[in-house]
Amino acid sequence: MAGRLIDPKNTIELIKKRDFGFKKRFGQNFLVDERVLSRIIEGAEITKADSVLEIGPGIGTMTEALCEAAGAVKAVEIDKELIPILSETLSTYSNVEVINADIMDLDLKSLFLGPFKVVANLPYYITTPIVMKLFESGADIESVTVMVQKEVAERMQAKPGGKDYGVLSLSVSYYAEPEIIANVPPNCFIPRPEVSSAVIRLKRRSEPPVAPIDRELMFELIRAAFAQRRKKLSNSVANSGGLGFTKEQVALALFDMGLDPMIRGEKLSLSEFSELSDRLLEMK
Ligand code: SAM
């Protein structure tokens, strides 16, 4: 390639030369804004000591910058039509490996020998499953710096009580400290997405901020609370048959915690969900 792909002229030229057709089903919106790209690389705090996983390199726009900043890069791309294009655009870099796979099928623990960082302009159709897989995989991930739909970024960093607060906010806060580091309008991509975007950095915590006796029960309570978020927490939990707690048991546990027994789940913090799960466990 004569010039950087982040320059829209070069991206358009390559797409035409290769007769590449964008696939909506893979969430293909390629970044063409230099300032946003620099913000992502800076925000991810990448150095030559780092190994980086990029999810969905596309034609290699962000990969070029990652190869220059990081020690080693692995880029996982689902679209096999992009693989020969990536061989061309990344031919000058010897520290990158492109893997043609669905990120959801990969064993993340075996990708690198040591810790690694994740950087990506994520496909929006599958953002939440990818982020949850990254954290739940058990892989040694230091941080996740990703472009996502703006609303999703706001849900990830929402605090109790607000309309954006929910399962995603609580799950993210269990694993990481989230921070939105850039807002990105649709004209920074080709083709333009219908929604606004944001870059969020999720710094992995060394230890979760809570340690419930039964972690799975805590997450089941969280899911039950937000499956019926307009209802009182005691009703949502009792209505969730599989959990096996009565409305009265939940109300009593909330009362013992000094909370209003009629409270809705959207008001509870992660540590309150953790305490509630421990108290309910004692009542079993
Ligand atoms: N990184 C490029 C950029 O910033 O210009 C492309 C980003 S584009 C929003 C998302 C990329 O993820 C596309 O290249 C798409 O083909 C790829 N992709 C979509 N689903 C995927 C999956 N399940 N596993 C791996 N890659 C995927």
Side-chain angles (χ1 to χ4, degrees):
M1 274 302 295
R4 305 257 147 175
L5 294 163
I6 198 65
D7 181 337
K9 272 201 326 284
N10 294 332
T11 282
I12 291 166
E13 191 189 306
L14 180 71
I15 296 293
K16 281 199 181 137
K17 184 178 97 180
R18 290 288 193 151
D19 197 22
F20 178 78
F22 290 96
K23 298 174 193 73
K24 229 181 164 168
R25 71 178 189 284
F26 288 150
Q28 291 175 342
N29 300 93
F30 297 162
L31 186 64
V32 285
D33 187 286
E34 177 80 57
R35 275 194 314 184
V36 173
L37 178 61
S38 305
R39 187 72 197 102
I40 295 171
I41 304 295
E42 266 165 45
E45 297 167 350
I46 307 290
T47 71
K48 282 284 167 195
D50 289 318
S51 297
V52 174
L53 164 64
E54 185 189 8
I55 300 162
I59 53 175
T61 314
M62 200 186 278
T63 329
E64 289 180 328
L66 289 171
C67 287
E68 298 202 346
V73 179
K74 295 203 179 183
V76 178
E77 174 55 61
I78 197 171
D79 184 355
K80 65 176 184 324
E81 196 187 339
L82 287 167
I83 305 305
I85 300 182
L86 286 162
S87 298
E88 177 188 328
T89 58
L90 302 174
S91 62
T92 52
Y93 299 103
S94 55
N95 59 344
V96 60
E97 181 189 342
V98 174
I99 301 167
N100 183 203
D102 181 336
I103 189 68
M104 298 308 289
D105 295 339
L106 273 196
D107 173 13
L108 301 178
K109 281 215 259 195
S110 62
L111 270 182
F112 294 99
L113 289 174
F116 62 98
K117 295 179 174 169
V118 178
V119 183
N121 172 11
L122 285 179
Y124 294 173
Y125 75 99
I126 196 179
T127 302
T128 303
I130 291 177
V131 171
M132 293 320 299
K133 174 175 173 143
L134 292 173
F135 287 130
E136 287 169 356
S137 65
D140 192 356
I141 295 174
E142 296 173 305
S143 65
V144 175
T145 306
V146 282
M147 176 93 69
V148 298
Q149 201 176 319
K150 186 162 182 271
E151 284 71 20
V152 176
E154 281 162 358
R155 275 167 36 212
M156 285 182 184
Q157 79 160 22
K159 298 278 173 268
K163 68 168 177 30
D164 294 328
Y165 185 65
V167 180
L168 186 60
S169 335
L170 283 152
S171 307
V172 163
S173 73
Y174 180 79
Y175 293 105
E177 287 176 52
E179 186 188 347
I180 293 178
I181 58 171
N183 284 310
V184 184
N187 63 9
C188 295
F189 303 89
I190 294 178
R192 290 181 186 203
E194 280 148 24
V195 294
S196 289
S197 305
V199 180
I200 190 161
R201 178 180 56 211
L202 309 169
K203 274 200 178 165
R204 182 72 181 252
R205 296 180 191 278
S206 48
E207 289 293 329
V210 295
I213 298 164
D214 183 342
R215 197 185 82 122
E216 200 33 50
L217 173 61
M218 179 184 78
F219 278 111
E220 280 175 23
L221 287 171
I222 290 172
R223 283 190 288 273
F226 291 95
Q228 297 179 304
R229 70 182 291 148
R230 307 307 300 161
K231 290 217 157 84
K232 286 181 230 157
L233 180 58
S234 54
N235 281 329
S236 315
V237 173
N239 291 349
S240 164
L243 283 171
F245 298 109
T246 65
K247 200 168 111 177
E248 291 70 27
Q249 283 176 311
V250 181
L252 180 62
L254 289 167
F255 178 79
D256 287 345
M257 288 166 63
L259 293 173
D260 178 357
M262 315 274 268
I263 201 167
R264 287 182 186 158
E266 64 192 12
K267 299 271 187 230
L268 264 65
S269 65
L270 183 64
S271 60
E272 287 166 336
F273 273 111
S274 173
E275 186 177 344
L276 178 66
S277 80
D278 285 354
R279 285 182 184 269
L280 287 173
L281 203 60
E282 272 173 24
M283 292 181 187
K284 267 205 160 164

